[in-house]
């Protein structure tokens, strides 16, 4: 029989401002038609992240134009959009771990952000819960793998592609589950192209900042979709500090 996931909030974060990807944030609440269900909570943990900021804008058009100019000049960067549009080129769990070379000699500042804790209650059969948990935890897991440096970027991409590729076809009846998996597949394609053009250090910085973006958008979408946490949003630190 075909299994449906119930009460599963899922998201496609299309990595805004990255060529060939579009940002889409959606919510899904499935309907479980079988009686033998398990119920389990999953928590995406809270943690602080640091990013290398190259520019900040109030205007989206100006931010997009500057990001395009930097990318054409060989600076791999994305736009983080909150109260302002921040062009960032690396992400890490501490300011000391940031790669200053990602700025390619340009002035850069360290900003901090908080990934908020999100708790979801999943209801499905045992297999469905495990699949949902694995997929929802994958962005955080990939981000941490990039930062630890124990695996090459090629190995991380290969492993992520295998997991996401299996998930894409696992629940065709659940469009949003499939879309989250597809966003991870798309990230792997982006990394393939990056690895063809950049060295390992540059690819790792770009992989970190784009996957961090996916982790961030996932939490924001889930938080916005939950009445219990609708008022909780991660905040970018107001103070901007030069890199150490």
């Amino acid at each position: 029989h075909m299994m449906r996931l119930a009460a599963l909030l899922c998201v496609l974060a299309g990595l805004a401002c990255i060529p060939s990807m579009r940002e889409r944030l959606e919510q899904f609440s499935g309907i479980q038609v079988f009686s033998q269900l398990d119920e389990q909570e999953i928590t995406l943990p809270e943690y602080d992240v640091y990013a290398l900021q190259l520019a900040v804008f109030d205007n989206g058009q100006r931010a997009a134009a500057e990001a395009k100019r930097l990318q054409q000049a060989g600076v791999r960067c994305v736009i983080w959009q909150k109260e302002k549009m921040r062009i960032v080129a690396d992400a890490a769990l501490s300011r000391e771990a940031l790669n200053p070379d990602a700025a390619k000699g340009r002035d850069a500042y360290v900003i901090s952000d908080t990934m908020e804790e999100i708790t979801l209650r999943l209801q499905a059969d045992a297999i469905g819960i495990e699949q949902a948990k694995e997929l929802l935890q994958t962005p955080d897991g990939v981000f941490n793998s990039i930062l630890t440096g124990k695996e090459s970027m090629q190995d991380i991409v290969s492993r992520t592609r295998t997991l996401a590729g299996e998930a894409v076809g696992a629940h065709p009846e659940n469009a949003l589950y499939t879309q989250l998996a597809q966003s991870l597949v798309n990230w792997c394609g982006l990394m393939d192209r990056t690895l063809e053009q950049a060295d390992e250090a540059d690819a790792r910085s770009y992989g970190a900042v784009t996957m961090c973006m996916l982790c961030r958008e996932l939490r924001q979408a889930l938080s916005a979709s939950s009445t219990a946490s609708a008022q909780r949003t991660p905040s970018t630190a107001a103070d901007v500090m030069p890199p150490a």
Side-chain angles (χ1 to χ4, degrees):
H1 59 268
M2 296 186 66
M3 175 184 62
R4 294 179 182 274
L5 303 179
L8 170 61
L9 295 176
C10 199
V11 63
L12 169 63
L15 303 181
C17 302
I18 297 174
S20 79
M21 290 184 174
R22 296 179 181 178
E23 183 179 9
R24 293 179 59 201
L25 300 176
E26 301 181 65
Q27 169 187 348
F28 174 80
S29 180
I31 300 174
Q32 176 58 260
V33 296
F34 302 108
S35 59
Q36 298 300 317
L37 301 179
D38 291 335
E39 189 173 282
Q40 194 173 132
E41 283 190 348
I42 173 177
T43 297
L44 302 181
E46 177 181 305
Y47 55 90
D48 292 332
V49 295
Y50 296 80
L52 201 63
Q53 176 182 290
L54 303 178
V56 59
F57 296 92
D58 294 318
N59 181 282
Q61 260 188 329
R62 290 180 59 206
E66 178 63 9
K68 182 178 180 180
R69 186 188 71 80
L70 288 170
Q71 289 162 354
Q72 290 174 340
V75 182
R76 302 180 188 281
C77 58
V78 296
I79 296 175
W80 281 8
Q81 180 175 350
K82 280 174 55 69
E83 76 285 356
K84 291 183 180 292
M85 314 250 178
R86 301 176 185 272
I87 300 177
V88 296
D90 191 25
L93 297 179
S94 70
R95 59 183 300 152
E96 294 77 18
L98 288 167
N99 174 19
D101 292 338
K104 302 300 181 189
R106 290 164 173 78
D107 290 339
Y109 297 87
V110 176
I111 60 172
S112 64
D113 202 5
T114 298
M115 297 289 184
E116 66 175 322
E117 178 180 292
I118 297 290
T119 298
L120 304 174
R121 186 179 300 276
L122 306 180
Q123 188 180 43
D125 65 22
I127 295 175
I129 283 180
E130 288 308 308
Q131 289 178 327
K133 285 174 58 180
E134 183 176 41
L135 192 63
L136 288 169
Q137 291 173 335
T138 292
D140 277 353
V142 173
F143 181 50
N144 278 281
S145 293
I146 293 170
L147 298 182
T148 60
K150 294 180 180 179
E151 293 178 89
S152 70
M153 282 300 297
Q154 189 61 63
D155 287 345
I156 292 171
V157 170
S158 178
R159 176 167 53 81
T160 304
R161 178 179 284 109
T162 297
L163 184 152
E166 292 174 352
V168 165
H171 299 287
E173 78 286 359
N174 187 324
L176 271 299
Y177 180 97
T178 302
Q179 287 170 341
L180 175 57
Q182 186 62 54
S183 72
L184 290 165
V185 172
N186 291 347
W187 178 84
C188 291
L190 178 68
M191 288 299 103
D192 284 342
R193 296 189 294 276
T194 301
L195 286 164
E196 291 175 356
Q197 303 164 0
D199 61 22
E200 180 76 6
D202 274 358
R204 194 170 292 273
S205 289
Y206 194 44
V209 76
T210 50
M211 187 53 66
C212 182
M213 192 173 182
L214 181 54
C215 296
R216 185 171 172 268
E217 297 296 347
L218 173 59
R219 281 169 169 77
Q220 288 181 344
L222 295 176
S223 179
S225 299
S226 169
T227 55
S229 59
Q231 301 304 313
R232 295 185 301 140
T233 56
S235 58
T236 302
D239 57 322
V240 181
M241 304 160 288

